């Protein structure tokens, strides 16, 4: 998969990212590109992971959710159904200290219903920039 199909992300690990979209159409399927390779422990399914993230609907510059905006990372179980499938399927296997950009089609996100109250229309492709802060085995 070419990085050219993915949004362009500026900002380094730990910095508020900016996301721009070089093409109108989202790539097909679930896509993840490691922008920064961390050198910490590998995240494994079942771990408790702490991340900073910034999420937008494909093509938008307005986040529907951002832990960067709250200045508070989020912690949750990964690979065990506590978050959307797109996260469960892309975050494990990456190291602490990594920054990812992930394109998540509706079937791995919020489906055909979306979450309109959060600004996520049905069928939306989501884009997240994810900084993996820490991981611990459960």
């Amino acid at each position: 998969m070419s990085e050219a199909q993915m949004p362009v992300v500026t900002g380094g690990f730990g910095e508020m990212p900016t996301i721009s979209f070089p093409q109108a159409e989202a790539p097909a399927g679930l896509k993840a590109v490691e922008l920064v390779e961390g050198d910490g422990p590998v995240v494994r399914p079942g771990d408790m992971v702490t991340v900073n993230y910034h999420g937008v609907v494909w093509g938008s510059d307005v986040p529907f959710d951002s832990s960067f905006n709250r200045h508070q990372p989020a912690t949750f179980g990964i690979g065990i159904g506590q978050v959307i499938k797109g996260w469960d399927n892309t975050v494990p296997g990456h190291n602490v200290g990594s920054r990812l950009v992930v394109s998540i089609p509706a079937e791995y996100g919020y489906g055909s219903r979306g979450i309109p109250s959060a600004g996520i229309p049905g069928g939306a492709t989501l884009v997240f920039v994810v900084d993996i802060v820490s991981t611990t085995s459960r």
Side-chain angles (χ1 to χ4, degrees):
M1 205 262 333
S2 165
E3 286 187 36
Q5 294 175 293
M6 292 291 282
V8 175
V9 177
T10 57
F13 184 92
E15 298 174 347
M16 169 68 86
T18 57
I19 303 170
S20 59
F21 295 88
Q23 63 182 44
E25 294 296 317
L30 181 63
K31 308 287 186 213
V33 175
E34 192 172 70
L35 302 172
V36 174
E37 183 179 357
D39 59 5
V42 173
V43 176
R44 301 191 189 290
D47 284 359
M48 289 299 291
V49 66
T50 299
V51 299
N52 267 311
Y53 64 89
H54 188 74
V56 299
V57 172
W58 184 277
S60 174
D61 59 358
V62 178
F64 58 80
D65 193 12
S66 176
S67 68
F68 286 98
N69 285 344
R70 290 190 300 277
H71 305 286
Q72 180 66 46
T75 301
F76 45 81
I78 194 71
I80 57 173
Q82 287 189 3
V83 292
I84 60 174
K85 288 181 190 177
W87 282 57
D88 276 348
N89 292 351
T90 58
V91 174
H94 293 279
N95 298 67
V96 170
S98 295
R99 172 169 271 201
L100 313 175
V101 60
V102 184
S103 175
I104 302 176
E107 61 267 28
Y108 290 94
Y110 294 107
S112 60
R113 297 176 69 164
I115 304 181
S117 62
I120 302 170
T125 294
L126 309 177
V127 175
F128 286 94
V129 176
V130 180
D131 286 358
I132 303 172
V133 176
S134 68
T135 189
T136 54
S137 298
R138 291 172 54 122

